Amino acid sequence: MGQIDDKLEGIFDEVIRRNTGEAEFHQAVREVLESLGRVVAKHPEYLDKALIERICEPERQIIFRVPWTDDNNQVNINRGFRVQFNSAMGPYKGGLRFHPSVNVGIIKFLGFEQTFKNALTGLPIGGGKGGSDFDPKGRSDAEVMRFCQSFMTELYRHLGEYTDVPAGDIGVGAREIGYMFGQYKRLTNRYEAGVLTGKGLFYGGSLARKEATGYGNTYFTRAMLQTGSEDFDGKTVVVSGSGNVAIYSIEKVQSYGGKVVACSDSSGYVVDESGLDLDLIKEIKEVRRGRVSEYLRLKGDGNGVYFVKAGEGSIWDVPCQVAMPSATQNELTGKDAKTLIRNGVQAVGEGANMPSTPEAIRAFQQAGVKFGPGKAANAGGVATSALEMQQNASRDRWTFEKTEAKLAEIMRDIHDSCHETAEEYGVPGDYVTGANIAGFIRVAEPMRAFGVI
Ligand code: GLU
């Protein structure tokens, strides 16, 4: 692991002590604190008034019971979470994740990262995250609807367009947002479009929101490549995952002439050496809600198409020049990073939140691989959520082109501010330090102005 500056060591010890066993949260805090030594050396004022201690402590954490009845008339209980991490920049903003692995530590790490990511967008949004350990896999549409309604029946009292604005994340897409928005409207008797983002296009959703995280990561990764006078054209690319982030990364990379040869889900990964057929992936994942293994069945074996079952290999064994991990946290290990480096990887753009372990990040940086951390590279999704909020607030609706152009500009600004900040603090090319410092300063300054709250 990297080093935490002596002056910040006590803060980290305290985070560990009061958040026992929350490994992912510790990991996310540690990474930021490792970057902040350079900031407090230059600006000791940030050590005053327990500012950094306050940034590491969520403003509010809500945990609640979510009872719902399944299709067999059995009552099920899940646990719901919303961690309202930091509102210095604006209303809490961040997605909801429905996945059996969800617990308070995971939501806290995501909310912490979200705070800096949202600050990097330059838009007025604070940081939060929520979700449930509900597993949508294999559940009927009616079950998902009843779950979402029950979840919102508690959560609605903590939300509001000026208070807290959730969106989607793993397991939460337009269908779930629709059920939750409907229930919020019913409970509050208010058509408050700006209370949720990632909405359907017929009731206040934004064009380009669905594509935004994947497109944004592609813009960011391309900007990193361009600092070395490189581009996607002619490069082999591996994108893990097969949700929104992965699908629209593949789409944009292909438009720049990159060849995406593999993607994955929890069943395993599929390889198509001549380049993935994106229409087929969309059909499998977006229309049928199926598994990537079906790709092989529909395309036929041979001709460079094959499927590797989960646990029998890693998608990062597939040689590529650009890797875009877009599945989940800690999916790319130190061992995977070494394999990628051996195979000649030049750039890594994180589409998911914290997909690379600290060992993997260190290996990439030591090998001179351009590494774009999620809190910068995948900020396009939440940035476009903020654009959705702007459209809702002005009761307007922008074209796809206008929204995408704004997204491209925001991603360029995020790239440049991480790049410049890294240079300013003596670590040129280190986007991790650049993102952590640039995000931190944007959150710290309003907090200093507000006094001790
Ligand atoms: N869940 C996404 C993220 O990790 C999007 C959040 C949002 O749009 O509020 O940034």
Side-chain angles (χ1 to χ4, degrees):
M1 285 207 211
Q3 277 305 105
I4 296 185
D5 188 281
D6 285 352
K7 296 190 207 67
L8 304 171
E9 196 69 63
I11 300 177
F12 187 59
D13 292 344
E14 185 62 9
V15 166
I16 296 209
R17 191 191 65 75
R18 66 193 335 190
N19 301 281
T20 316
E22 296 174 4
E24 291 84 0
F25 181 51
H26 302 167
Q27 182 184 337
V29 172
R30 179 171 187 109
E31 188 208 279
V32 170
L33 291 182
E34 283 176 7
S35 300
L36 294 189
R38 293 174 188 276
V39 181
V40 297
K42 242 187 183 171
H43 299 285
E45 65 273 20
Y46 289 132
L47 287 167
D48 293 346
K49 302 199 173 114
L51 175 78
I52 300 174
E53 288 86 334
R54 282 184 283 140
I55 285 183
C56 293
E57 179 69 16
E59 289 177 17
R60 188 176 297 109
Q61 308 182 49
I62 303 144
I63 303 183
F64 51 99
R65 180 171 71 200
V66 189
W68 57 282
T69 307
D70 65 24
D71 290 346
N72 299 321
N73 246 346
Q74 293 297 311
V75 174
N76 294 258
I77 310 289
N78 284 100
R79 194 170 280 179
F81 303 91
R82 187 73 182 163
V83 173
Q84 299 180 329
F85 221 108
N86 192 297
S87 60
M89 290 288 297
Y92 308 107
K93 180 84 198 88
L96 299 169
R97 175 177 293 191
F98 292 170
H99 191 270
S101 66
V102 163
N103 58 42
V104 70
I106 299 242
I107 299 298
K108 233 186 260 177
F109 116 67
L110 289 164
F112 183 75
E113 291 254 312
Q114 196 84 46
T115 300
F116 302 104
K117 181 195 316 195
N118 294 4
L120 282 172
T121 67
L123 298 167
I125 40 178
K129 202 84 184 192
S132 174
D133 56 4
F134 171 69
D135 187 358
K137 211 186 290 166
R139 289 296 175 189
S140 70
D141 203 62
E143 289 176 319
V144 170
M145 180 184 77
R146 288 194 295 273
F147 175 81
C148 289
Q149 290 176 340
S150 179
F151 183 83
M152 188 50 92
T153 300
E154 171 57 33
L155 190 63
Y156 87 97
R157 69 190 80 248
H158 307 289
L159 306 183
E161 63 175 320
Y162 294 106
T163 306
D164 186 352
V165 182
D169 195 79
I170 294 171
V172 178
R175 174 179 64 164
E176 292 73 18
I177 294 291
Y179 292 142
M180 288 191 275
F181 185 76
Q183 186 73 350
Y184 182 89
K185 184 172 78 62
R186 182 186 187 198
L187 288 163
T188 57
N189 194 30
R190 281 166 62 87
Y191 203 110
E192 198 184 325
V195 74
L196 286 173
T197 62
K199 297 183 294 296
L201 296 176
F202 294 111
Y203 63 96
S206 174
L207 287 161
R209 173 63 188 89
K210 185 172 68 167
E211 293 82 356
T213 315
Y215 281 16
N217 187 24
T218 309
Y219 296 141
F220 189 96
T221 307
R222 188 172 189 228
M224 291 198 299
L225 286 167
Q226 286 171 338
T227 62
S229 306
E230 294 274 356
D231 207 328
F232 275 110
D233 196 23
K235 291 212 166 36
T236 301
V237 181
V238 169
V239 179
S240 63
S242 51
N244 261 352
V245 183
I247 286 177
Y248 293 96
S249 302
I250 298 172
E251 185 165 285
K252 210 28 141 195
V253 167
Q254 288 182 342
S255 81
Y256 290 137
K259 186 170 79 170
V260 185
V261 293
C263 71
S264 63
D265 61 21
S266 56
S267 70
Y269 66 92
V270 66
V271 178
D272 188 336
E273 284 165 359
S274 56
L276 288 171
D277 175 345
L278 184 58
D279 288 339
L280 186 56
I281 304 267
K282 282 187 181 172
E283 164 73 22
I284 294 168
K285 298 306 289 193
E286 293 185 337
V287 182
R288 305 183 188 193
R289 292 180 185 273
R291 322 295 301 151
V292 293
S293 51
E294 288 168 40
Y295 188 94
L296 184 68
R297 195 166 49 74
L298 295 163
K299 269 259 146 165
D301 214 339
N303 293 328
V305 180
Y306 59 93
F307 174 75
V308 179
K309 258 201 227 144
E312 292 180 6
S314 162
I315 189 171
W316 308 117
D317 294 338
V318 180
C320 62
Q321 281 116 38
V322 182
M324 301 171 86
S326 308
T328 195
Q329 67 272 0
N330 291 328
E331 56 161 305
L332 197 164
T333 64
K335 181 166 171 271
D336 294 326
K338 287 194 189 101
T339 310
L340 283 163
I341 293 163
R342 219 178 311 116
N343 287 334
V345 76
Q346 295 171 9
V348 178
E350 291 192 322
N353 292 312
M354 208 168 77
S356 309
T357 64
E359 296 72 32
I361 298 174
R362 201 157 352 98
F364 288 136
Q365 292 187 324
Q366 280 169 1
V369 174
K370 295 179 195 309
F371 178 79
K375 65 169 79 70
N378 76 33
V382 75
T384 308
S385 278
L387 302 180
E388 183 173 331
M389 291 162 73
Q390 283 183 30
Q391 293 170 73
N392 295 151
S394 55
R395 300 184 187 283
D396 197 2
R397 180 178 165 75
W398 304 345
T399 61
F400 193 97
E401 290 69 29
K402 175 173 172 172
T403 317
E404 194 192 351
K406 281 192 180 270
L407 165 66
E409 189 186 318
I410 292 166
M411 293 314 296
R412 167 57 69 179
D413 285 349
I414 296 175
H415 172 273
D416 293 353
S417 84
C418 296
H419 197 259
E420 284 157 21
T421 306
E423 219 155 81
E424 186 186 334
Y425 283 85
V427 278
D430 179 347
Y431 289 92
V432 174
T433 305
N436 287 337
I437 295 181
F440 168 78
I441 291 174
R442 289 192 193 183
V443 178
E445 281 303 321
M447 284 182 74
R448 265 156 49 84
F450 298 156
V452 177
I453 55 170

